Amino acid sequence: MTDIQEKNPPQAQAHPKERKEISAITVRFAGDSGDGMQLAGDQFTDTTAIMGNDFSTLPDYPAEIRAPVGTLPGVSSFQIQFSDSVIFTPGDVADVLVSMNPAALKVNIPFVKKGGLIIVNESVFNEINLRKANWKSNPLLDETLKDFSLIKIPLSELTKNALKDLPIKMTEVERCKNFFALGLMFWLYSRSLEHTVDWIQKKFAKRPEMVNANITALKAGYNFADIAEVFPSQYYVKQSDLEPGTYRKIMGNEAAAIGFITAARLAKKTLFYGSYPITPASDILHQLARFKNYDVKTFQAEDEIAAVGSAIGASFGGEIGMTGTSGPGMCLKAEAMNLAVMAELPLIVINVQRGGPSTGMPTKTEQADLLQAMYGRNGESPVAIVAPKTPADCFDMAIETTRLALKYMTPVIFLSEGYIANGSEPWKLPDIEKLPKIEVVHAAAPNAGTEFWPYKRDPKTLARPWAKPGTPGLEHRIGGLAKAENTGNVSYDPDNNQKMMTLRAEKIAGIANDIPNLEVYGPAKGKVLVLGWGGSFGAIFQAVKQLELEGKKVSRAHLQYLNPFPKNTGEVLRQFEVVLIPELNFGHLLNLVRFRFPGVNATGLHKVQGQPFKVFEVAEKIKELL
Amino acid sequence: MSTGFKEMDLSYTKDDFVSNQDVRWCPGCGDYAILATAQRTLAKFKTPRENYVFISGIGCSSRFPYYMNTYGFHTIHGRAPTIATGLRCVNPDLSIWLITGDGDGLSIGGNHLIHCMRRNVNINILLVNNQIYGLTKGQYSPTSTQGKVTKSSPYGSIDYPINALRIAIASEATFIARTLDADPNHMGMIMTRAAQHKGVSFIEIYQNCIIFNDKTFAPVVGREVRDDRMIYLEEGKPLIYGKQRNKAIKLQGLHPEIVDLEGDGAGQDLLIHKEQSPDASYAYLLSQMSYPEMPVPFGVFRAIERPTYDDMMNDQVEAMKKEKGPGDLKKLIYGSSTWTVK
């Protein structure tokens, strides 16, 4: 644990230069998939966290594991915004781009601010690499980059020189250049090397020569920046005004995994996770598989259907059954989810949304599975739906998801998305003692004379009793066929069917009484309310904040519960002349709002580019409406 | 499956396993005999009734759980193995029985059946094979013979049939057997063996669909012909059959061959049945013996021991608890690197 007390930035060692304070900076690392850009970005983020800035990150990488080296499809990028105030987005455009090759430059120019700094690895701007990246002429020599401050550094050469006396192979030397680049960035933003040095020592503990090489490259980069005077200035960003507390850096998928383990602990249950690897949800499986000592059982199933089936089996057995996937997998799980709807068993379904339809853009983000979550099953099939709004919020919403599934004996869909699943931010750690309790009561005795009726509902929650196989006297049968009220026997009786359908719908609708109201930030009444869900929270937050600073009156609200909606939702929306709903789809929440709350003047802002909203996009749309 | 058997002072009768639901199979359906045999078989054990769970998919035979006075789950088409696997993973004490058919298990659910068997999940699978789709009213199934004329194959099915046991063998199921609805004693014996086996047990049951595929197995199991066309496997004994017990099987190279014990087969080395054969090729050889060329084997084809999936999963959890200590929430949430803002 690091205490941050030091309010003054660290002093540069050799050549003290002018050091400028800035409020927020966006840095983008870009290179070939094999260049270690995600790693460099992660390390930069870790150090930024320790230095007390608020931050938000966006990894942006191709689905191909290793597209041909040096080509456009192989470009992998990582963007981070860090700030001295609270922020929720990785930055619209980068102030600085570190580009490791011509392809990375070509792909990333549109993501750099006009007038921004572009640092290129000059060593690799040769004819072959330029051709691979479809450059007609060398952009370092022509007019291409005239709107930017270009800094050419022969990164590969400098790394090679720094490591020339070390006993490692040429290919390994080549792989150290990301640390050289990281060293440059650490100097430019007055970051300490300490965390990354420690990390390298641990990571390569078994290969001391690689520890030495990577640390040498890192320090060489740092010292080069310090001595060579390639940068006009050095910058620093003050520690941010985050609330006091203990923090860690967290990614969305990681927070979800930790949240569900925590929830299972709070409920005193085994967490069973059946899953089939799929981008971008696999990391949840990877995370959970490491925590077996927390009574976590992970099952890598033969397919998506087996994954959800096994989770239902675990729920039938009285434990927490959970499955996780992304869009295409959700299509496959629909029938089994309906079984859990009919059998009224708790079931947690994580959907980390990605660009669709079909295989779509596996590594890119989207929010276009909301209507699938609502309606994508046969018959009247109500389920609860929640959506975390930031990476850290995945923790809280995981606990909520579990609480609702167990209390209401229902499937609950946890609708995450690639953007928050892979993005990271500081997470203010909760007080363990203050975490909510999750109480589960299993049926222990007959509930109808000497008989046990599996569908005799709790009058308050409308949930049916949960009897674990192995409990004497409660032997019963459930299944996917229509059920008679109370007894749960197979029934095709018309009136009974209508009643059971209504009861299930009412059960889910009743959850509205058990979740927080929708809160409005800004005036409770007025011209424009921006209503968000999921990961668009960040861009909406920043856009509204920006307009407030400009003196404009605009309010925002955010839905973390999408089925049912918080019970005051209609009331809140009706206080505004226009409700703007920005979402990464063609209007899913917009449709639901128009259907559920007639009279509300709702309008959308739609984007399906595989990228999250930029703050300015939301801000401009709001301005149009004001 | 043996873990579910707790020694308790319990004595059951068949009626203890009969649920209050009316059985709704067609009169004369082979499923009645299978149900009665299962109920009688379970009554022999001391396993508490509440520890039995019957899980099924979709199809005629998949109605089974409703008629058993045990825990039961009538799930969705082909997916019963997945639900049974999840249940087994979280509860080591249950005796889990999976009821499936040739369509449910070998067509729509073929993938799950394979993976459940290769993982050696400790459950008992009864695959009721009637070579037809019954519940959807008579289309050909993956086990139907080629040329089968049905509603969906008016000019004869052009599908090559699949052999259920060969799927089990290829998946390395640890207990593999075949029995038939018309022989309750044999069926009871096989179910008993399956119940006692630890690991996945796969039983193919030849079942007669009186409505859509009546007498499809009659050329093999019919009263008049069965002695000469069926061969009952018995551990450690030669493969002898025939009304006069005068025919046997010997190996000719890699092929089984019929020999006449009263003629040229006398004194020859007969094939001796061995369930525990470490490699699966012997079981595979048996699975290839089919009518009309050869007598059709019934009994236990293979019974081997191998750690079960669920045991290994639980062992890993326990081992990790021992190594890392039972999970501490604070450690989980705080992770390895934190910082404090004051």
Side-chain angles (χ1 to χ4, degrees):
Chain A
M1 191 183 294
T2 314
D3 273 0
I4 296 174
Q5 289 162 317
E6 194 186 21
K7 292 288 179 188
N8 297 318
Q11 295 301 308
Q13 294 134 9
H15 296 253
K17 274 192 192 70
E18 187 197 358
R19 192 194 295 267
K20 287 187 184 160
E21 182 185 330
I22 37 176
S23 172
I25 273 286
T26 298
V27 177
R28 193 169 172 97
F29 293 91
D32 204 67
S33 307
D35 282 344
M37 289 297 96
Q38 302 303 323
L39 192 156
D42 275 344
Q43 286 302 309
F44 192 85
T45 306
D46 285 351
T47 293
T48 295
I50 288 167
M51 297 194 68
N53 300 131
D54 196 5
F55 63 87
S56 173
T57 68
L58 175 71
D60 189 1
Y61 50 87
E64 294 75 15
I65 302 301
R66 290 277 189 277
V69 175
T71 61
L72 300 172
V75 172
S76 169
S77 314
F78 183 99
Q79 186 165 313
I80 172 172
Q81 176 172 215
F82 54 104
S83 170
D84 62 5
S85 57
V86 174
I87 50 155
F88 285 107
T89 70
D92 283 4
V93 280
D95 298 295
V96 182
L97 169 70
V98 180
S99 173
M100 301 302 280
N101 68 11
L105 178 66
K106 182 150 213 173
V107 169
N108 283 284
I109 289 175
F111 300 106
V112 187
K113 193 164 87 182
K114 292 277 180 281
L117 190 63
I118 295 184
I119 300 163
V120 297
N121 175 12
E122 195 184 7
S123 313
V124 296
F125 277 71
N126 55 33
E127 203 182 318
I128 297 174
N129 287 333
L130 289 167
R131 204 167 46 231
K132 276 190 197 162
N134 294 338
W135 284 109
K136 301 267 183 294
S137 70
N138 188 341
L140 308 187
L141 305 175
D142 62 20
E143 292 285 278
T144 310
L145 303 175
K146 66 176 173 9
D147 294 336
F148 306 95
S149 303
L150 175 65
I151 295 182
K152 297 179 272 189
I153 299 176
L155 278 168
S156 300
E157 286 305 314
L158 291 170
T159 308
K160 224 178 282 175
N161 288 341
L163 305 183
K164 67 176 186 297
D165 297 330
L166 299 182
I168 57 170
K169 287 183 238 151
M170 222 32 233
T171 51
E172 288 170 334
V173 169
E174 179 62 17
R175 264 187 245 134
C176 293
K177 67 178 186 292
N178 58 337
F179 282 105
F180 190 98
L182 187 60
L184 290 174
M185 289 294 102
F186 278 161
W187 181 87
L188 186 60
Y189 294 108
S190 318
R191 323 260 94 179
S192 147
L193 304 183
E194 190 188 330
H195 171 84
T196 297
V197 168
D198 285 352
W199 182 85
I200 292 171
Q201 278 166 346
K202 276 190 205 128
K203 175 82 184 175
F204 298 98
K206 285 181 185 152
R207 295 198 58 197
E209 74 283 10
M210 288 311 295
V211 170
N212 194 10
N214 284 316
I215 292 175
T216 304
L218 179 73
K219 288 186 172 165
Y222 188 93
N223 293 332
F224 177 80
D226 192 15
I227 294 160
E229 306 205 351
V230 289
F231 298 116
S233 174
Q234 193 179 15
Y235 300 92
Y236 72 96
V237 175
K238 274 197 309 196
Q239 178 183 333
S240 91
D241 48 5
L242 289 167
E243 281 175 48
T246 303
Y247 285 78
R248 75 180 272 194
K249 182 190 89 164
I250 198 84
M251 292 170 72
N253 275 346
E254 202 180 7
I258 293 172
F260 284 113
I261 297 172
T262 302
R265 270 302 162 99
L266 297 171
K268 300 186 178 69
K269 290 277 167 206
T270 292
L271 176 62
F272 177 92
Y273 187 61
S275 189
Y276 186 75
I278 184 168
T279 304
S282 305
D283 276 339
I284 298 175
L285 173 62
H286 305 160
Q287 289 281 337
L288 291 172
R290 291 171 48 221
F291 290 111
K292 294 196 195 304
N293 58 322
Y294 287 80
D295 269 321
V296 175
K297 293 181 174 175
T298 54
F299 173 63
Q300 183 175 312
E302 58 271 22
D303 61 27
E304 296 282 1
I305 300 172
V308 61
S310 65
I312 293 171
S315 289
F316 180 55
E319 304 297 337
I320 297 176
M322 174 161 89
T323 187
T325 186
S326 186
M330 284 302 278
C331 298
L332 288 165
K333 291 184 197 297
E335 187 193 15
M337 285 172 58
N338 246 351
L339 175 65
V341 167
M342 185 62 101
E344 301 195 38
L345 284 169
L347 174 70
I348 297 168
V349 181
I350 301 171
N351 177 2
V352 185
Q353 298 164 95
R354 68 188 213 187
S358 188
T359 312
M361 299 198 285
T363 58
K364 309 295 179 190
T365 201
E366 206 168 84
Q367 299 178 306
D369 298 348
L370 174 56
L371 290 179
Q372 177 195 42
M374 277 296 291
Y375 300 123
R377 294 166 299 282
N378 68 305
E380 296 294 346
S381 171
V383 300
I385 306 169
V386 306
K389 60 182 182 179
T390 67
D393 190 44
C394 290
F395 177 84
D396 294 327
M397 293 318 286
I399 295 176
E400 268 299 85
T401 300
T402 313
R403 178 182 77 86
L404 295 176
L406 297 178
K407 183 168 175 182
Y408 293 90
M409 296 289 283
T410 178
V412 181
I413 298 176
F414 178 90
L415 212 47
S416 180
E417 60 207 83
Y419 171 51
I420 54 178
N422 288 322
S424 64
E425 66 173 350
W427 173 30
K428 184 173 178 240
L429 299 175
D431 189 343
I432 310 282
E433 277 68 45
K434 287 187 186 150
L435 290 169
K437 297 280 165 283
I438 299 179
E439 206 184 331
V440 181
V441 182
H442 286 289
N447 59 2
T450 57
E451 289 180 32
F452 174 67
W453 287 356
Y455 281 75
K456 191 172 171 191
R457 296 169 192 278
D458 177 322
K460 201 159 161 244
T461 59
L462 298 181
R464 72 174 190 87
W466 193 11
K468 289 166 75 161
T471 312
L474 306 190
E475 292 87 344
H476 67 280
R477 278 66 57 191
I478 57 172
L481 287 170
K483 301 272 168 288
E485 196 187 355
N486 294 320
T487 65
N489 290 330
V490 174
S491 170
Y492 302 151
D493 178 80
D495 291 339
N496 173 77
N497 199 54
Q498 177 124 1
K499 177 134 199 217
M500 287 294 271
M501 297 279 222
T502 307
L503 280 168
R504 272 195 296 272
E506 283 173 353
K507 179 175 82 167
I508 300 301
I511 293 174
N513 298 316
D514 197 12
I515 57 175
N517 269 339
L518 181 63
E519 283 186 57
V520 178
Y521 294 84
K525 198 174 168 67
K527 183 126 198 221
V528 178
L529 173 80
V530 189
L531 179 68
W533 70 278
S536 48
F537 173 79
I540 294 170
F541 175 95
Q542 309 254 142
V544 169
K545 189 174 159 191
Q546 185 189 312
L547 294 174
E548 270 175 353
L549 290 173
E550 293 172 19
K552 304 217 163 46
K553 275 212 167 73
V554 52
S555 306
R556 66 176 170 83
H558 198 82
L559 287 165
Q560 285 160 296
Y561 300 83
L562 292 150
N563 197 40
F565 288 128
K567 63 176 186 297
N568 65 335
T569 304
E571 205 181 304
V572 165
L573 303 187
R574 291 203 174 92
Q575 306 307 312
F576 293 87
E577 287 174 34
V578 190
V579 174
L580 170 65
I581 304 178
E583 43 186 341
L584 300 176
N585 58 46
F586 280 162
H588 287 220
L589 179 59
L590 182 65
N591 264 290
L592 292 174
V593 164
R594 283 178 176 164
F595 170 63
R596 283 288 307 281
F597 309 111
V600 168
N601 179 21
T603 189
L605 173 61
H606 314 306
K607 178 174 177 179
V608 282
Q609 300 171 2
Q611 298 292 331
F613 279 114
K614 294 189 188 300
V615 176
F616 84 87
E617 292 167 337
V618 178
E620 275 177 14
K621 181 72 191 180
I622 299 171
K623 278 185 198 164
E624 258 176 48
L625 298 172
L626 279 172
Chain B
M1 107 108 255
S2 64
T3 47
F5 293 80
K6 286 181 181 160
E7 290 301 321
M8 291 173 100
D9 184 26
L10 291 169
S11 52
Y12 290 114
T13 65
K14 173 177 176 279
D15 285 348
D16 290 316
F17 290 93
V18 176
S19 82
N20 61 1
Q21 298 294 294
D22 295 333
V23 183
R24 294 193 200 163
W25 287 312
C26 308
C29 174
D31 285 345
Y32 283 95
I34 302 171
L35 176 66
T37 304
Q39 288 163 335
R40 255 197 311 272
T41 303
L42 300 194
K44 291 195 310 192
F45 291 107
K46 292 191 183 303
T47 304
R49 188 176 61 186
E50 63 270 17
N51 277 9
Y52 287 108
V53 183
F54 279 74
I55 299 179
S56 64
I58 295 293
C60 291
S61 57
S62 286
R63 296 297 176 98
F64 208 97
Y66 290 118
Y67 311 136
M68 294 295 297
N69 190 17
T70 63
Y71 282 90
F73 200 172
H74 176 215
T75 72
I76 44 176
H77 212 1
R79 320 304 174 196
T82 72
I83 285 137
T85 299
L87 177 60
R88 166 53 78 214
C89 287
V90 299
N91 191 331
D93 297 327
L94 303 172
S95 172
I96 301 175
W97 295 72
L98 194 146
I99 314 296
T100 185
D102 41 318
D104 188 65
L106 295 169
S107 191
I108 192 166
N111 192 29
H112 308 306
L113 188 67
I114 288 170
H115 291 280
C116 180
M117 292 193 289
R118 64 119 174 145
R119 290 190 183 104
N120 198 27
V121 180
N122 191 10
I123 61 173
N124 309 302
I125 301 170
L126 307 182
L127 187 138
V128 177
N129 182 6
N130 55 18
Q131 298 188 348
I132 200 78
Y133 284 170
L135 199 63
T136 50
K137 299 191 167 55
Q139 300 83 2
Y140 62 96
S141 92
T143 56
S144 295
T145 49
Q146 209 179 24
K148 184 85 191 167
V149 173
T150 71
K151 280 180 194 155
S152 59
S153 57
Y155 310 112
S157 160
I158 55 172
D159 278 29
Y160 296 107
I162 200 166
N163 180 309
L165 291 185
R166 277 182 231 161
I167 298 294
I169 294 163
S171 309
E172 299 281 348
T174 50
F175 180 92
I176 301 169
R178 179 189 281 149
T179 185
L180 68 161
D181 60 358
D183 188 346
N185 287 336
H186 187 260
M187 196 162 39
M189 181 275 285
I190 295 289
M191 284 186 196
T192 302
R193 286 282 312 273
Q196 289 165 335
H197 174 74
K198 179 158 180 160
V200 71
S201 307
F202 178 84
I203 306 174
E204 178 189 28
I205 306 175
Y206 277 12
Q207 182 256 31
N208 190 47
C209 173
I210 195 165
I211 304 295
F212 295 109
N213 207 13
D214 195 22
K215 298 190 170 59
T216 193
F217 296 112
V220 177
V221 306
R223 203 172 289 272
E224 288 71 36
V225 296
R226 65 186 177 197
D227 290 340
D228 289 314
R229 295 184 184 165
M230 289 173 65
I231 188 162
Y232 281 108
L233 305 169
E234 288 179 85
E235 177 64 4
K237 294 191 179 160
L239 275 69
I240 295 176
Y241 68 108
K243 206 168 248 167
Q244 315 299 328
R245 305 281 298 163
N246 59 346
K247 283 180 276 188
I249 304 296
K250 69 163 235 189
L251 264 191
Q252 182 67 44
L254 292 173
H255 301 285
E257 203 176 74
I258 299 168
V259 293
D260 182 354
L261 292 176
E262 288 158 356
D264 56 356
Q268 289 211 35
D269 275 347
L270 301 178
L271 188 54
I272 308 292
H273 184 58
K274 199 172 165 222
E275 298 168 352
Q276 290 161 26
S277 191
D279 80 79
S281 47
Y282 167 63
Y284 194 84
L285 177 142
L286 291 178
S287 76
Q288 287 185 297
M289 291 171 56
S290 57
Y291 176 79
E293 294 81 11
M294 300 292 286
V296 177
F298 289 79
V300 178
F301 282 53
R302 196 163 191 226
I304 57 169
E305 281 179 29
R306 172 186 281 191
T308 66
Y309 185 84
D310 30 302
D311 274 357
M312 289 188 286
M313 176 180 267
N314 291 326
D315 289 351
Q316 254 186 5
V317 169
E318 290 314 311
M320 284 303 113
K321 278 185 190 166
K322 225 174 181 178
E323 193 186 314
K324 300 183 176 175
D328 170 10
L329 271 190
K330 183 152 189 193
K331 266 193 202 160
L332 173 78
I333 290 171
Y334 277 57
S336 56
S337 174
T338 62
W339 72 93
T340 306
V341 174
K342 293 193 174 171

